[in-house]
Amino acid sequence: MRRKLIAGNWKMNGLLADGVELARALSNLAAGEAPNCDLLVFPPATLLMTVGGVLSSGPIALGGQDCHGEAGGAHTGDIAADMLADLGCSHVIVGHSERRADHGESDSEVKAKGQAALAAGLTPIVCVGESLEEREAGRALTVVANQLRGSLPEGGSPVVAYEPVWAIGTGKSATPEDVAEVHAELRRVLGEMRGAAAAAETLLLYGGSVKPANAAELLGLEDVDGALVGGASLKADDFWGIARACP
Ligand code: PEP
């Protein structure tokens, strides 16, 4: 049985005081109630240490928003996976569509990042998702299947997040039917790549304008094992509302 995971991607938002305030609010909510899921937040790198300190005694885990594909060296401005582990991170997002778009990250680079994460003892959350043009051309399943084949690291137990690019930060979520279809395809491809047992154990998250109002329907789908939440993760009550929607 896969336990659901609700993960909040804070993206490039928040100064120290904002991060502390949000982490404290989440910590207080967690002290009062245990939702039926695992919880994880991805603050910006500048806040990891402080937010990690606030969350350290509670159930909310910490992750990095990206890591480099190499273990260390001359890569100005980048962060190695073991640096994240050193700060108490358990997870790292790799291949988020904003990084694929802003930094031109290819599937093979994303795979190297995932591999580096596993080598550092982190669980990578590997993001895939089609653009609006690709969906309208009827290519969504092919695109995400190819991204998965090219981006998934070997070994370990990576998490996969399906995030249609057109649904991220737009307020426009994919329909439950579309999500169910893509997740079933991802699970099928995972079976081809890793075998049936590993595919059945892999967590498949959905991301793209998840909010308290649509969470129950999306999280109730058979192959949806949780959510990667952007905008709504910046408000403690909204993030909690999504966590609470886990069946
Ligand atoms: C994301 O960035 O991973 C995301 C899903 O964002 P939003 O929830 O804001 O669409």
Side-chain angles (χ1 to χ4, degrees):
M1 182 67 186
R2 301 180 298 266
R3 183 169 160 80
K4 294 209 191 292
L5 171 64
I6 304 298
N9 174 12
W10 296 3
K11 310 195 187 191
M12 195 172 71
N13 291 298
L15 301 180
L16 218 43
D18 308 307
V20 168
E21 191 183 330
L22 181 52
R24 282 202 184 129
L26 291 171
S27 210
N28 288 338
L29 287 161
E33 177 189 1
N36 194 22
C37 59
D38 290 326
L39 295 160
L40 171 62
V41 293
F42 295 94
T46 49
L47 300 184
L48 281 171
M49 187 131 168
T50 313
V51 168
V54 175
L55 298 177
S56 62
S57 55
I60 305 174
L62 190 70
Q65 294 179 13
D66 179 53
C67 68
H68 198 276
E70 289 178 27
H75 301 289
T76 303
D78 279 312
I79 298 174
D82 71 348
M83 295 172 181
L84 295 174
D86 198 31
L87 289 181
C89 292
S90 55
H91 291 68
V92 60
I93 300 171
V94 295
H96 191 283
S97 64
E98 286 155 11
R99 292 210 55 93
R100 289 181 188 259
D102 293 355
H103 300 271
E105 289 183 7
S106 64
D107 286 344
S108 59
E109 281 170 295
V110 173
K111 180 172 178 174
K113 287 168 184 250
Q115 217 68 64
L118 290 173
L122 299 176
T123 299
I125 298 193
V126 181
C127 300
V128 298
E130 82 285 359
S131 66
L132 187 57
E133 297 71 44
E134 289 163 337
R135 173 154 287 276
E136 286 176 348
R139 299 185 53 237
L141 295 185
T142 312
V143 167
V144 297
N146 286 341
Q147 282 181 338
L148 185 63
R149 289 191 186 99
S151 308
L152 196 72
E154 278 149 40
S157 302
V159 174
V160 175
Y162 167 52
E163 299 208 303
V165 177
W166 48 271
I168 296 181
T170 59
K172 216 192 303 172
S173 174
T175 65
E177 293 74 24
D178 290 342
V179 175
E181 183 183 36
V182 173
H183 279 225
E185 173 66 0
L186 290 172
R187 191 134 358 245
R188 189 189 68 73
V189 175
L190 280 168
E192 276 176 12
M193 296 177 73
R194 299 186 149 231
E201 278 168 20
T202 302
L203 293 186
L204 291 182
L205 310 184
Y206 168 73
S209 298
V210 178
K211 39 196 174 247
N214 62 13
E217 192 172 27
L218 292 163
L219 292 166
L221 297 171
E222 188 189 325
D223 270 318
V224 174
D225 305 313
L228 183 53
V229 184
S233 73
L234 294 173
K235 292 195 181 129
D237 287 339
D238 284 354
F239 187 64
W240 212 255
I242 294 167
R244 232 184 231 144
C246 286

